[in-house]
Amino acid sequence: MNDTLTAPLTLERMRADVAGMLGEAPDAVGDDDHLMDLGLDSMRVLGLVLAWSNTGIALEFGHLAEHTTLAGWWQVVQQLQARASAGA
């Protein structure tokens, strides 16, 4: 199995994956940019959720749908990672 699939999800990986979905360089995606305004649609978000779920967190589409920025998504991921680490 590819180590990147099971490695903890990082903000840098999230930024790179979002940028890849948009055909942009990672530095074109700011923490507080509205991702839908950048061109991210629900199908692409679903693809990201599926890929990021392979890192061992219980990420669901609804978790990200409530937020519109990478910073908001990162907060959700950090909370899920903390729960997974605590065994909750």
Side-chain angles (χ1 to χ4, degrees):
M1 178 176 273
N2 188 335
D3 287 339
T4 60
L5 292 179
T6 57
L9 189 56
T10 64
L11 178 59
E12 293 77 22
R13 176 178 169 191
M14 291 176 69
R15 185 183 321 279
D17 290 351
V18 168
M21 285 281 187
L22 298 172
E24 299 287 344
D27 62 0
V29 180
D31 289 354
D32 297 315
D33 290 345
H34 191 290
L35 298 172
M36 288 23 159
D37 287 349
L38 295 179
L40 201 63
D41 59 32
S42 60
M43 291 305 293
R44 290 177 177 163
V45 173
L46 184 57
L48 292 168
V49 167
L50 293 173
W52 295 341
S53 291
N54 290 329
T55 65
I57 58 172
L59 185 64
E60 298 177 10
F61 180 83
H63 292 132
L64 301 186
E66 297 175 12
H67 304 277
T68 59
T69 65
L70 191 59
W73 287 7
W74 179 236
Q75 270 189 314
V76 169
V77 167
Q78 287 181 307
Q79 290 169 354
L80 292 171
Q81 287 174 334
R83 282 187 207 148
S85 293

